[in-house]
Amino acid sequence: DVLLSVYNLLEPVIIRLDPLWKRIGYHRVEGAMKWIERVGKGFLFDCKMCGKCVLSSTGMSCPMNCPKTLRNGPCGGVRLDGRCEVKPQQRCVWVEAWRGSQIIPGESRIAEFREPVRFSWQGSSSWMRMVRQHNKVAEINEGKG
């Protein structure tokens, strides 16, 4: 899948640019990254900017589009035709996530547990959060944290 390939190319670059992000200031970079994510992921995936993006583990389907905002699989009300019980005109986000996960080459991560959304993160850059979290883990592993 082209989109996953682009994501896999961008993620390590964004992480490696951490010294630049620190020099500029995370709070300054946050605004630009939020805009890029809102426009790019919003257009491509109807992203809801939850602050904890899981597109790469859900077949590039945003679970926040589920009317019940379920992040770990479908509810019991998925219709036989794959449509949502709450919004019958909409295909179930999780039916689409499963389909997408089967198309993406490599190991599927659809069965992984996803933490509930922290609503205080809504509207923030999940990319910048990922960079900070990645580097915090690296510092701990190096004995600095």
Side-chain angles (χ1 to χ4, degrees):
D1 185 55
V2 173
L3 296 173
L4 185 63
S5 297
V6 170
Y7 173 82
N8 288 335
L9 288 172
L10 279 177
E11 181 182 22
V13 171
I14 291 170
I15 289 171
R16 274 190 237 121
L17 288 173
D18 184 56
L20 176 62
W21 307 144
K22 284 180 182 174
R23 185 172 303 139
I24 295 170
Y26 282 125
H27 63 285
R28 289 188 182 111
V29 177
E30 175 80 22
M33 289 303 246
K34 279 193 313 194
W35 183 85
I36 291 168
E37 285 182 62
R38 181 171 283 117
V39 171
K41 292 190 313 186
F43 174 73
L44 294 171
F45 310 109
D46 197 20
C47 169
K48 301 301 181 203
M49 294 295 291
C50 70
K52 183 72 172 169
C53 188
V54 294
L55 286 168
S56 64
S57 69
T58 58
M60 306 309 273
S61 179
C62 179
M64 299 309 292
N65 287 309
C66 170
K68 297 178 181 180
T69 62
L70 298 177
R71 291 178 65 85
N72 285 296
C75 68
V78 179
R79 296 168 185 242
L80 291 175
D81 64 356
R83 301 217 173 262
C84 173
E85 75 171 339
V86 177
K87 293 183 176 179
Q89 70 279 11
Q90 174 181 314
R91 294 216 9 108
C92 172
V93 169
W94 285 99
V95 169
E96 292 302 308
W98 179 259
R99 187 185 62 75
S101 75
Q102 302 308 297
I103 294 170
I104 296 172
E107 187 176 323
S108 175
R109 294 180 18 221
I110 190 111
E112 290 179 0
F113 174 76
R114 284 164 286 282
E115 295 176 8
V117 171
R118 293 185 188 181
F119 289 101
S120 62
W121 289 357
Q122 200 156 18
S124 65
S125 169
S126 60
W127 288 345
M128 294 313 297
R129 181 167 290 98
M130 174 204 48
V131 169
R132 290 188 298 264
Q133 182 178 11
H134 179 273
N135 289 316
K136 187 181 296 182
V137 168
E139 287 177 3
I140 290 169
N141 289 339
E142 293 171 6
K144 296 178 183 176

